Amino acid sequence: MSSKPHSHAQWSSRLAFTLAAVGSSVGLGNIWKFPYMTGESGGGAFVLVYLICILLIGLPILMSEWLLGRLGQKNPISTMSHISARLKRSPAWVLIGVAGVLGAYLILSFYSVIGGWALAFIADAASGSFETLTSDTAGSLFGGLLGDPTTLLAWHSAFMLMVILVVAGGVAGGLERAAKILMPLLAVMLIVLVGYAATTDGFADAAAWLLTPDFSKLDKDGVLAAMGHAFFTLSLGMGIMMAYGSYLSDDVNIGRTALIVVVLDTVIALLAGLAIFPVVFSNGLDAAAGPGLIFQTLPLAFGHMPGGEVFGVVFFVLLVFAAWTSGISLLEPIVEWLEEKTPMSRVGSAWVAGIATWLLGIATILSFNLWSDVAPLGMFAKFEGMTIFDLLDYATSKLMLPLTGLATIVFVGWFMGRDEVRSQLNMSDSAFSLWSFVARYIAPIGVVVVFASSL
């Protein structure tokens, strides 16, 4: 591939960067995954372990990715190549960038399909489909969607088009504009839903359940799930934060901004829990319903509550916005790499990357219906019965992301000069010593534990 001269874009302000970073972090993981994982793991104890892990694992890795991105001022692959060469380290460190960009591509291919589910449920909520649901038929609405490849393809295509159009607009016209519009709207919708939930009979019980730790209900798997989710909710190991860091000016305090992002990401996840669980408790539904909590349990509740049609639409619009902001960030590292390493323009790079991702997403769609009995690695006992979607999810979340995150924190903590890292983080001596200890020992051990448990 031929390179071309590239004038690297910059965020217009710290606020724009913060909103974009929060938008990347706040996604289906907060609105969909965090509530059902909390439900499966007993509530408040899971939340407490998650908060500890996000501070000791997520925060130092997030700061490291931004630091590398700002130093490199290029796409994640070129950034790691440039920095490792300047420091006279092994060229193999470039694999951090390669794995990040590849991981973003693989994840977006199936993330877009799930974003399409949320789009489909907006239409279902608006049409009044929820009102006819019973406890016996609640799963049929979602099951019918998964079994229809044509409908899934239409919604997958619509979601992917939404992502491409934003990313094609560039940093200021695309990423910033979307973050400045979508994030405040997302916050307003979430607050409205929490306000509604506060009027239900189950709000006090749900709040106590969500915020009061009961460690008798938290087992080893729950602890490991909390560690893993703390890592993945911040979009770490996907090249995203390194790409976003490459647009970062020198006057932004990485540590302070990272703390703001972590706090806002966590607050939104907790608000999502306060919006969802009172509805679940008030309707006598199962808080531990697992992944079907959003797409099977809640439609049943919305269909039988006063104003449920309106609040059902608001909820799934919220879910789409959360998925959209994360989808935008997942496409960005791929587009940044194409734009810098090929003669293509920003718009051309966005369309090529988007179409390539859309094509791979078709395999995920078919794995729910026509290819549901196809297990590509079924000859191995561990992967027996795993569909293409299952394998993509396993390969990224259980293997690629933790390894990429581990390599990132090890590179910054052990292979970069302390003076350069300290100047980039702009910390006092005592604060930097604490950060360095966590980054060199605590965070890597935490990631190794998560990785080992997944195997």
Side-chain angles (χ1 to χ4, degrees):
M1 291 182 178
S2 60
S3 297
K4 64 181 179 184
H6 182 73
S7 176
H8 210 69
Q10 297 277 301
W11 301 105
S12 64
S13 65
R14 192 181 77 167
L15 175 62
F17 168 66
T18 303
L19 286 174
V22 172
S24 173
S25 300
V26 173
L28 293 174
N30 299 71
I31 314 296
W32 173 51
K33 196 171 185 180
F34 179 79
Y36 85 69
M37 291 175 74
T38 304
E40 289 179 327
S41 301
F46 175 87
V47 173
L48 181 60
V49 173
Y50 164 80
L51 292 176
I52 293 170
C53 292
I54 207 168
L55 287 173
L56 296 182
I57 297 176
L59 184 61
I61 296 178
L62 175 63
M63 293 168 66
S64 297
E65 292 201 9
W66 283 351
L67 181 156
L68 290 169
R70 184 162 71 180
L71 277 175
Q73 291 286 300
K74 295 178 176 65
N75 67 81
I77 297 173
S78 297
T79 283
M80 290 310 304
S81 177
H82 168 74
I83 293 176
S84 57
R86 178 171 62 80
L87 297 177
K88 295 182 172 56
R89 303 299 186 185
S90 168
W93 288 107
V94 76
L95 292 175
I96 291 176
V98 172
V101 173
L102 178 61
Y105 168 66
L106 296 176
I107 291 168
L108 182 56
S109 74
F110 63 81
Y111 198 95
S112 175
V113 176
I114 301 172
W117 298 350
L119 283 172
F121 270 71
I122 293 175
D124 287 330
S127 69
S129 297
F130 294 171
E131 295 175 11
T132 60
L133 293 179
T134 67
S135 56
D136 295 327
T137 63
S140 64
L141 187 66
F142 186 47
L145 175 65
L146 294 188
D148 185 348
T150 304
T151 302
L152 283 179
L153 180 62
W155 290 118
H156 165 56
S157 302
F159 184 85
M160 204 64 234
L161 180 62
M162 290 164 55
V163 171
I164 292 170
L165 290 176
V166 171
V167 177
V171 174
L175 306 183
E176 281 192 13
R177 182 178 297 173
K180 288 177 179 177
I181 295 172
L182 294 177
M183 290 313 299
L185 283 175
L186 186 150
V188 168
M189 283 189 289
L190 194 53
I191 291 169
V192 167
L193 286 169
V194 172
Y196 173 77
T199 67
T200 65
D201 296 337
F203 186 78
D205 289 340
W209 176 82
L210 188 65
L211 301 175
T212 305
D214 180 358
F215 289 99
S216 68
K217 296 180 179 178
L218 184 68
D219 57 15
K220 184 194 76 168
D221 290 341
V223 173
L224 294 173
M227 292 177 69
H229 191 62
F231 181 80
F232 303 126
T233 188
L234 293 176
S235 302
L236 304 176
M238 309 176 197
I240 293 172
M241 291 307 181
M242 207 180 293
Y244 276 23
S246 72
Y247 305 127
L248 199 55
S249 60
D250 290 336
D251 59 348
V252 173
N253 186 300
I254 286 178
R256 189 178 303 129
T257 309
L259 195 58
I260 291 170
V261 169
V262 165
V263 169
L264 289 177
D265 177 74
T266 304
V267 166
I268 289 174
L270 290 173
L271 286 175
L274 288 174
I276 291 168
F277 288 116
V279 174
V280 172
F281 280 38
S282 298
N283 289 272
L285 302 172
D286 182 13
L293 183 67
I294 298 298
F295 293 105
Q296 297 180 56
T297 301
L298 283 186
L300 177 63
F302 287 133
H304 296 278
M305 65 171 63
E309 184 176 314
V310 172
F311 286 104
V313 170
V314 172
F315 177 81
F316 284 104
V317 169
L318 168 71
L319 195 61
V320 167
F321 279 13
W324 194 6
T325 55
S326 291
I328 290 164
S329 66
L330 282 163
L331 191 61
E332 177 58 29
I334 314 164
V335 171
E336 185 184 27
W337 177 73
L338 284 173
E339 188 186 9
E340 292 180 3
K341 304 301 288 186
T342 74
M344 286 189 292
S345 65
R346 174 79 181 192
V347 174
S349 299
W351 278 102
V352 168
I355 290 171
T357 308
W358 174 83
L359 285 170
L360 183 59
I362 294 173
T364 288
I365 288 172
L366 295 176
S367 72
F368 293 114
N369 37 73
L370 300 179
W371 292 354
S372 60
D373 57 348
V374 175
L377 297 181
M379 70 286 293
F380 302 104
K382 183 173 181 63
F383 303 108
E384 187 176 356
M386 278 196 180
T387 64
I388 293 171
F389 168 70
D390 295 331
L391 285 174
L392 285 171
D393 185 33
Y394 180 86
T396 52
S397 65
K398 298 293 197 299
L399 300 176
M400 294 177 69
L401 301 192
L403 283 176
T404 305
L406 176 62
T408 300
I409 198 70
V410 167
F411 181 81
V412 173
W414 292 94
F415 290 87
M416 290 187 67
R418 284 176 61 86
D419 291 342
E420 183 173 40
V421 172
R422 180 163 46 193
S423 68
Q424 281 293 319
L425 296 181
N426 192 24
M427 290 176 160
S428 66
D429 288 347
S430 57
F432 179 73
S433 294
L434 175 61
W435 181 89
S436 183
F437 176 76
V438 172
R440 296 182 74 173
Y441 300 102
I442 305 298
I445 291 171
V447 177
V448 167
V449 169
V450 173
F451 180 68
S453 69
S454 72
L455 297 179

